[in-house]
Amino acid sequence: MARFRKAAAVLAAGCSAALLTGLAPAGNGIEDESARAIVDKARTELAAARSVHMVAHAAGEEGEAALDLRFDVDGNCAGSVSLPRGGGRAEIVKRGQDIWVKPDGAFLRSQVPAPAADGAAALIGDRWLHGTSGDALLRKLTDVCDLKDFQRAYASHLATGDLSKGGRATVGGSPAVTVTATRGGDTVTFYVATEGEPRLLRLEGREDGRSARADFLDYGAPVPARTPPPEQSVDISGLR
């Protein structure tokens, strides 16, 4: 019996260690790569992503802007955008060619000419404005939802800059290695995951006098499919 208990204890310890090892993310060795290799692998991971959640903030002379968006390569998205200079905030939902926008009063006034802004606010109230990606008034928001466009922009971003590898960092509890790209007076720091896939976790820097930071979360997670119901929406044609 004593031998059985000892054997059981050894077996249990072995199983626990195996389970913990399986649950813990494995180091990917990216911190041992060159600065260029780190950035290139992060670029590859982002280019291959079917969806991602981006939380971004930017500040400049015009004020602060913010974006919290889940978007995918099919053009679907859900999230919010806040404009600088008191430009207001709007929630966004896009599925296929259909797009819904729920603007606050400040957002409407910044996007609609003054004489029509009050009428638009009265028409929409606390509802969603519904249209399609072909509507001129919604074109800019439609472009924001395009993950493919963002992937293309990142692929060429500071490609000719000087790269220097930094140290270790943590982004949202995930370990990362940093690489800083410099071109003229502009700098951008890439934070790349050192566990699991070498994914881009954060971009942070200063460019053209503006500072910005963007975090990238939930790679591959589906964009929420729920759309505002008809009774909570008003067609954009009512603004014309």
Side-chain angles (χ1 to χ4, degrees), residues 22 28 39 48 72 77 89 103 133 151 159 168 189 196 201 208-209 218-219 233:
N28 56 30
V39 171
D72 65 23
C77 74
R89 178 181 182 277
S133 56
Q151 289 168 326
R168 296 181 179 181
T189 299
L201 301 179
D208 296 331
D218 305 325
Y219 278 71
S233 306

Side-chain angles (χ1 to χ4, degrees), residues 155-186:
S156 59
H157 189 70
L158 288 177
T160 60
D162 296 325
L163 300 177
S164 59
K165 186 163 65 170
R168 296 181 179 181
T170 302
V171 179
S174 299
V177 63
T178 64
V179 172
T180 298
T182 304
R183 184 172 63 185
D186 300 332

Side-chain angles (χ1 to χ4, degrees), residues 44-175:
T44 298
E45 288 293 327
L46 184 59
R50 300 292 300 172
S51 63
V52 72
H53 179 192
M54 180 169 67
V55 181
H57 300 269
E61 292 182 358
E62 68 276 14
E64 296 186 2
L67 182 70
D68 186 336
L69 192 71
R70 297 175 184 270
F71 55 157
D72 65 23
V73 295
D74 295 320
N76 302 310
C77 74
S80 65
V81 58
S82 297
L83 302 180
R85 288 184 175 176
R89 178 181 182 277
E91 296 177 60
I92 309 168
V93 173
K94 182 175 179 292
R95 298 298 298 183
Q97 298 301 310
D98 288 286
I99 182 168
W100 293 259
V101 181
K102 191 175 186 181
D104 63 13
F107 189 94
L108 268 178
R109 287 190 293 273
S110 69
Q111 301 299 307
V112 178
D118 290 341
L123 174 65
I124 299 171
D126 194 39
R127 295 180 294 175
W128 294 79
L129 182 63
H130 174 232
T132 69
S133 56
D135 291 309
L137 286 174
L138 301 177
R139 173 61 62 187
K140 290 182 180 179
L141 294 177
T142 298
D143 293 342
V144 167
C145 288
D146 190 349
L147 175 57
K148 286 184 178 179
D149 186 59
F150 178 81
Q151 289 168 326
R152 286 191 294 268
Y154 174 69
S156 59
H157 189 70
L158 288 177
T160 60
D162 296 325
L163 300 177
S164 59
K165 186 163 65 170
R168 296 181 179 181
T170 302
V171 179
S174 299

Side-chain angles (χ1 to χ4, degrees), residues 9-23:
V10 171
L11 180 61
C15 288
S16 297
L19 285 172
L20 289 173
T21 300
L23 290 173

